[in-house]
Amino acid sequence: MVTASRDDNVKVLSRKDFVSDQEVRWCPGCGDYSILAQTQKLMPELGIPRENIVFISGIGCSSRLPYYVDTYGFHSIHGRAPTIASGLKASRPELSVWVVTGDGDALSIGGNHILHVLRRNVDLQIILHNNEIYGLTKGQYSPTSELGKRTKSSPYGTIDRPLHPLSVAIGAEATFVARSIDTDAHHLVSTLDRAYRHKGASFVEVYQNCNIFNDGAFADFAAKEVRADRTISLEHGKPMIFGKERDKGLRFSGAKFEVVTVGENGVTDADLFVHDETREDPSIAFTLSRMEWPEYPVPVGVLRAVQKPTYNDLMDKQIEMAIEAEGEGDLRDLFLEGDTWTVE
Amino acid sequence: MTTLTRESDQHEGPDVLELDRVTIRFAGDSGDGMQLAGTQFTKTSAVLGNDISTFPDIPAEIRAPQGSLPGVSGFQVSFSSHDIYTPGDAPDVLVAMNPAALNTNIGDLPRGGILVVNEDEFTETNLKKAAYGSNPLDDGSLGAYRVFQVPVSTLNARALKDSGLTAVQVDRCKNMFALGLMFWMYSRPLDTTTRWIDEKFGKNQGVAEANKKALRAGYNFGETTEMFATHYHVPKAKLRPGLYRNITGNEATALGVITASKLAGRTLFYGSYPITPASDILHELSRFKRFGVRTFQAEDEIAAVGAAIGASFGGSLGLTGTSGPGLALKSEAIGLAVMVELPLVVIDVQRAGPSTGMPTKTEQADLLQAMFGRNGESPVAIVAPSTPSDCFQMAIEAWRIAIKYRTPVLYLSDGYLGMGSEPWLVPDYTKLPKMDPDFAHDPATFKPYARDPETLARPWAIPGTPDLEHRIGGLEKSDITGNVNYDAANHDKMVHLRAEKIERIANDIPELEAHGDESGDLLVLGWGSTYGVITTAVQRARAKGLKVSSAHLHHLNPLPKNLGDVLKRYDRVLMPEINLGQMRMLVRSRYLVDIIGLNKVSGRPFTISEVEAKITELAA
């Protein structure tokens, strides 16, 4: 358990320190409750003072989350949370900045900003609540909705091909890419913890059920009773094993993964692919980001975690170096740059 | 305008005539280095002690086809022995480096004006590109001017034949030859430019030597040829004593915002996306890392303003800058800043036209966008600098208001101010007033939307402050607590509070001052970059005995408290604007005074005579 030195008496923070006085107004049964709960559970364990934590969101159901966490918070405008977070982190690097967003917010209206915050590697945590639907505007299809989906705005089925958030993130050079599921509390909190500990932009997609407009979107593989057989939990340095009996695995043959069963057709543990999240080449992580049920188990956990200099560190360094090389800025010198003359 | 007085009859060689003001326009192909020649002429004249004013006129195309009409680049510099406020209506001298430059600029040269042409470029091909049916140097069409045909290219090439440079490199020096000739004609020394060449090309000795040689060759050509019977001298101007430097509006804006950050003791964060003519502010600020300036070249205009708002939330001075179409993109985020009541300064270096319009041309037509271009009742403060050097002062003023009232402030510069230059009396930094960000600290009294009783500003509580954790955002706020609130009465109250807060800034800005008489036949009221022409036109009209005064608005929202009184003291009010009457509409609707408009939307600033003619029509 961690402490924050807010005053002379070291105060131990607990989950309730992160519960704000605002009434939580999500639909009963919404997956967002679990994400909020895991977030509030994680906060006191980070070892940072509460006042140094900031949650920034855009627009959508998920983006209401900052109101419910008793830290500094900014509920901004549609799609733009990454921009506000970038400006805050680049000017106040000591703060822990969390971006809360949804599939519409991050990938539709904010698609451009998501690409750039990731490629710049600003040291932030981005939690994308993906329910594959527009909830707040009451049920239109989103950029992650499956092709042909019938909604209020697509009564004949969508003709827009969906985006895969993790593929987008990896394509944008994200240094930390992970996935979790709202109903898997333990996995979710540990994934968020990993995201926090990563230095750089962390992108976490959370499959989040919208029980009003898109109920059961992930049930095929995420429901408790089938989860073990239909998802694969990635662990760095470990062979890729899944299944209730821990007997299934992934083998990499040539250009793609194949699902195999250990003990059948001479397959042993040694044939399974060992997950290496630190691999510089993003192609394996990208391949993982494309794996979908029922052809494959759905990967959860950390797909990619590589170290690169962060944008905010580089900005700090440039300023330090400029001051070292040119001396701290002096306004009088600045005013007199170039040719001057005196009028008597 | 120029008066000739013979300075000396004993002078050997050509006569020296004394002038009190000269305007030169350098015009050539966009690759000919005309901006550079003009800038160097300006620097030298400034250092000599003349008052100066410049007007670069750049084509929108980066490099239009060589010799073509759209590829012409111009730089006008006016220098004088007295205070001047504009770069001059019409050039006294036109330097035309090719037929296209002649064709596009000759219309501005008054009869009797001096025309220096590079005759080498008047080839059949170039004449055709410039849409000339016959060679104007031969067909008598230039009879109204004092034409000097100089084989600039040939003379330049001859001077540099031993330089060891390629033919292309040699030809590039011909702007220096032309500049040298102008230096001779107006009795300017070469040393400022020589020093600049050494600094600029220091690493490439061959190029540096060639440029200096071309410059001297041009000067010597003037000295030795019998073509020019006269050269001229413009004495020093009587400026306020002190230390001066030449400054463009965009440079002054950059210096102003850095100074504001020092005066407030807060980091400056500049989020911007490149756009003409605002980009120079980004270029300037990017150089000043040693001042702790954090520049963020964003992926788009929206990200630029979003990042600035984020920085302001963190307690820095969040600044964003753009030009017209960029301001349109920033609208939603400026509305957010209105709602969260954080300091933010938005620079708009206005340019001509709707949509992309004419990026390199000037206009004052973003006023109504600045005022109303957001959803809902969304008031912001608006300020406007009046001259290139005034940009420094108004940038600090924008920050003073933004910090004190926790509000976005729009700063309306324009292309003419941003790119134009004039001497700047360097201020004493230690005498500039400090600005207190006055952050909230006390958990016992803190409420996110409580207000200062005088200014109605809400507290600025920045992350990292213990026990002031709170949430802000774009949804309507509850009075005092800042919680989300859809209550009808609360919304009504908050709309009024936000409006009232901006109105109260009027208590905190200077009253409008009329120059001339306290009352009279005519008041010429302006804002922004029309200051120079209005001031000069009114001075001329008054010299002719007309009862005319001028007044200039630096604060556009709110307007100075005494504006209504000032308007009523004159029989008539004229408002010149580089738009179709945007400020006139605002002032008329508010004060019910039937202001007369003088409006121009050609992408160019007013000339003095345009304003003077209208004054004469109304007041004579």
Side-chain angles (χ1 to χ4, degrees), chain B residues 292-360:
Chain B
V293 176
R294 288 165 190 260
T295 52
F296 177 77
Q297 183 175 315
E299 58 271 23
D300 61 24
E301 298 283 359
I302 300 171
V305 62
I309 293 171
S312 282
F313 180 53
S316 301
L317 304 191
L319 174 73
T320 189
T322 188
S323 186
L327 184 65
L329 283 167
K330 292 181 198 293
S331 303
E332 188 194 13
I334 297 171
L336 173 68
V338 167
M339 207 64 164
V340 296
E341 301 190 41
L342 282 170
L344 173 76
V345 170
V346 181
I347 296 168
D348 177 18
V349 187
Q350 300 166 94
R351 65 192 216 183
S355 185
T356 318
M358 300 198 288
T360 59

Side-chain angles (χ1 to χ4, degrees), chain A residues 6 22 51 66 70-73 75 83 87 90 92 112-113 120 311 316 318 329 331 334-337 340-341 343, chain B residues 46 241-242 244-245 287-290 294 296 299-300 307 314 429 463-465 467-468 470-474 483:
Chain A
R6 300 159 66 84
Q22 301 296 297
E51 64 268 21
D70 199 6
T71 62
Y72 283 91
H75 176 225
T83 73
R92 295 284 308 279
N112 191 25
H113 306 309
R120 287 192 185 106
Y311 183 84
D316 280 354
Q318 275 197 341
L331 277 180
L334 180 60
F335 289 174
L336 299 183
E337 255 192 5
T340 60
W341 68 96
V343 173
Chain B
Y244 282 83
R245 71 175 268 200
R287 299 198 293 130
F288 298 133
K289 296 259 181 309
R290 66 183 188 277
R294 288 165 190 260
F296 177 77
E299 58 271 23
D300 61 24
Y429 166 67
T465 317
D467 298 320
L468 299 192
H470 66 286
R471 273 69 55 195
I472 57 173
N483 291 334

Side-chain angles (χ1 to χ4, degrees), chain B residues 14-28:
Chain B
D15 288 344
V16 180
L17 288 179
E18 185 161 312
L19 303 178
D20 67 355
R21 177 175 183 165
V22 172
T23 300
I24 301 180
R25 185 183 297 172
F26 293 92

Side-chain angles (χ1 to χ4, degrees), chain B residues 37-85:
Chain B
T39 310
Q40 285 304 312
F41 196 96
T42 306
K43 268 183 149 183
T44 291
S45 300
V47 172
L48 272 184
N50 293 129
D51 198 3
I52 47 166
S53 180
T54 70
F55 179 50
D57 191 15
I58 300 166
E61 291 79 6
I62 297 303
R63 193 56 61 87
Q66 229 177 0
S68 69
L69 294 169
V72 174
S73 169
F75 189 102
Q76 184 159 314
V77 49
S78 198
F79 54 105
S80 160
S81 61
H82 54 80
D83 276 8
I84 51 174
Y85 302 95

Side-chain angles (χ1 to χ4, degrees), chain B residues 127-141:
Chain B
L127 287 164
K128 209 167 148 198
K129 279 192 212 161
Y132 275 117
S134 60
N135 189 341
L137 301 181
D138 303 332
D139 65 9
S141 60

Side-chain angles (χ1 to χ4, degrees), chain A residues 97-119:
Chain A
V97 181
W98 298 70
V99 171
V100 182
T101 184
D103 39 311
D105 193 53
L107 298 171
S108 225
I109 190 165
N112 191 25
H113 306 309
I114 275 291
L115 296 184
H116 292 280
V117 74
L118 293 174
R119 62 118 178 151

Side-chain angles (χ1 to χ4, degrees), chain B residues 103-300:
Chain B
N103 196 358
T104 48
N105 287 281
I106 191 70
D108 293 338
L109 189 69
R111 297 173 72 84
I114 296 175
L115 174 63
V116 179
V117 292
N118 176 11
E119 66 176 20
D120 289 333
E121 291 292 318
F122 283 68
T123 60
E124 211 165 299
T125 327
N126 283 349
L127 287 164
K128 209 167 148 198
K129 279 192 212 161
Y132 275 117
S134 60
N135 189 341
L137 301 181
D138 303 332
D139 65 9
S141 60
L142 301 174
Y145 312 102
R146 292 150 70 194
V147 184
F148 297 102
Q149 288 180 224
V150 182
V152 175
S153 307
T154 314
L155 291 170
N156 176 63
R158 201 174 296 155
L160 301 183
K161 69 177 190 302
D162 300 325
S163 64
L165 300 182
T166 64
V168 173
Q169 285 176 311
V170 165
D171 197 54
R172 248 182 230 147
C173 296
K174 67 179 187 285
N175 62 334
M176 287 294 130
F177 186 96
L179 178 63
L181 180 57
M182 287 299 106
F183 276 159
W184 174 81
M185 196 181 269
Y186 292 97
S187 318
R188 334 254 91 187
L190 303 183
D191 53 333
T192 304
T193 295
T194 309
R195 261 203 319 276
W196 175 83
I197 291 171
D198 280 332
E199 275 168 35
K200 169 100 179 164
F201 301 109
K203 286 194 191 113
N204 196 335
Q205 270 305 310
V207 173
E209 285 311 316
N211 273 286
K212 286 191 282 186
K213 209 166 183 181
L215 183 72
R216 277 196 305 274
Y219 189 93
N220 293 339
F221 175 75
E223 182 83 20
T224 51
T225 183
E226 291 180 357
M227 187 184 277
F228 304 98
T230 319
H231 69 153
Y232 305 93
H233 174 64
V234 177
K236 286 183 182 192
K238 285 182 190 65
L239 299 172
R240 270 174 65 197
L243 190 62
Y244 282 83
R245 71 175 268 200
N246 185 32
I247 202 161
T248 67
N250 279 342
E251 286 167 355
T253 301
L255 290 194
V257 293
I258 293 175
T259 304
S261 92
K262 288 279 165 194
L263 292 171
R266 304 307 305 166
T267 299
L268 181 68
F269 182 94
Y270 186 52
S272 190
Y273 185 77
I275 184 167
T276 304
S279 298
D280 280 338
I281 298 172
L282 175 61
H283 306 160
E284 281 294 301
L285 291 175
S286 305
R287 299 198 293 130
F288 298 133
K289 296 259 181 309
R290 66 183 188 277
F291 286 88
V293 176
R294 288 165 190 260
T295 52
F296 177 77
Q297 183 175 315
E299 58 271 23
D300 61 24

